[in-house]
């Protein structure tokens, strides 16, 4: 079952230039939870559909869209569905301690009320661009999506940090991701402490 999220806002308090100037990696968070509207806005910024043919907020080589977005809160792990702007529950329960352990005990994963997991299905890109260039395009794209999320968080008065240091297999197993969803980035988000 998928639950539609609140529509994203198209205006905010900060200009793009202000968000660029203010973005900083934040690694300490207050325990305050994020509301559904905040989570919806952050996920939309990451991979929301904004145009014809399913075009999204971030560019994608050949419009092949290899990225899969997951949202982890104290309540569970959810999968984001860009076309429906909706979430489906993957696992209920607080998985943060296990993700923290799989991420080399980086404390912010334990503290943050939300961690966005960006995973990729390489095959969607390598079928067209091959095994040499395909992965490069996937890495570019995850950077685009991550930057969108970081700037959106800043614009909303939130803090975030992109985390690339984690044990790939441990994260994949503990989140029980499908075999072809390879986790690339973990991005904890919350109110800066
Ligand atoms: C590819 C990549 C991986 C990163 N991985 C981590 C990480 O595992 N843990 C962490 O605390 N910060 C991580 N960072 C954040 C950097 O440490 C941070 O961006 C850098 O110190 C510059 O600071 P700023 O983001 O505040 O400008 C990563 C950044 C990038 C681009």
């Amino acid at each position: 079952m998928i639950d539609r999220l609140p529509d994203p806002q198209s205006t905010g308090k900060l200009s793009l230039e202000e968000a660029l100037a203010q973005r900083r990696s934040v690694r300490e968070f207050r325990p305050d939870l994020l509301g559904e509207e905040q989570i919806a806005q952050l996920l939309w910024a990451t991979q929301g559909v904004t145009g014809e043919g399913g075009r999204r907020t971030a560019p994608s080589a050949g419009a092949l869209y290899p990225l899969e977005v997951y949202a982890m809160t104290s309540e569970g792990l959810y999968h984001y569905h860009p076309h429906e702007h909706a979430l489906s529950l993957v696992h209920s329960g607080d998985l943060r301690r296990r993700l923290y352990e799989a991420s080399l005990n980086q404390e912010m994963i334990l503290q943050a009320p939300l961690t966005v997991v960006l995973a990729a299905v390489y095959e969607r890109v390598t079928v067209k661009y091959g095994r040499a260039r395909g992965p490069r395009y996937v890495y570019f794209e995850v950077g685009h999506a991550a930057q969108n999320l970081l700037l959106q968080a800043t614009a909303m008065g939130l803090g975030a940090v992109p985390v690339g240091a984690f044990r790939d297999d441990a994260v994949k197993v503990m989140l029980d991701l499908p075999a072809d969803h390879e986790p690339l980035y973990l991005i904890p988000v919350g109110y800066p402490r």
Side-chain angles (χ1 to χ4, degrees):
M1 197 183 83
I2 67 172
D3 288 318
R4 197 173 155 78
L5 289 163
D7 289 339
Q9 301 293 315
S10 57
T11 56
K13 293 195 179 88
L14 243 52
S15 68
L16 176 60
E17 292 79 3
E18 289 168 321
L20 284 165
Q22 289 180 26
R23 184 213 62 80
R24 202 84 289 143
S25 290
V26 170
R27 298 183 178 81
E28 292 191 40
F29 301 104
R30 302 207 313 257
D32 311 51
L33 300 181
L34 300 183
E36 198 186 26
E37 289 181 359
Q38 290 168 302
I39 292 173
Q41 188 73 30
L42 292 162
L43 296 175
W44 172 84
T46 310
Q47 276 293 278
V49 169
T50 50
E52 284 178 18
R55 299 292 199 262
R56 302 188 186 178
T57 52
S60 180
L64 294 170
Y65 301 109
L67 301 183
E68 295 290 332
V69 181
Y70 292 86
M72 204 189 69
T73 70
S74 57
E75 298 194 339
L77 178 72
Y78 302 83
H79 189 197
Y80 180 59
H81 301 265
H83 292 280
E84 295 83 8
H85 185 53
L87 286 180
S88 59
L89 179 67
V90 180
H91 291 294
S92 57
D94 193 346
L95 299 168
R96 288 180 300 177
R97 178 157 287 279
R98 290 184 59 202
L99 188 60
Y100 151 81
E101 287 166 0
S103 318
L104 319 178
N105 295 3
Q106 297 197 63
E107 189 74 23
M108 56 275 199
I109 305 264
L110 207 51
Q111 281 182 14
L114 170 71
T115 291
V116 175
V117 179
L118 297 177
V121 180
Y122 286 97
E123 194 65 17
R124 289 181 197 155
V125 179
T126 55
V127 287
K128 180 168 181 186
Y129 294 110
R131 304 233 156 253
R133 209 153 199 87
R136 180 195 294 201
Y137 287 175
V138 170
Y139 300 145
F140 290 160
E141 187 167 335
V142 79
H144 292 302
Q147 185 73 356
N148 283 1
L149 173 56
L150 298 173
L151 291 174
Q152 178 70 80
T154 305
M156 293 164 68
L158 301 171
V161 55
V163 172
F166 54 85
R167 289 188 285 125
D168 297 359
D169 289 347
V171 167
K172 202 169 163 181
V173 167
M174 64 112 339
L175 295 179
D176 199 18
L177 299 184
D180 58 353
H181 289 200
E182 303 294 344
L184 291 175
Y185 243 162
L186 310 176
I187 308 188
V189 188
Y191 288 97
R193 192 152 58 163

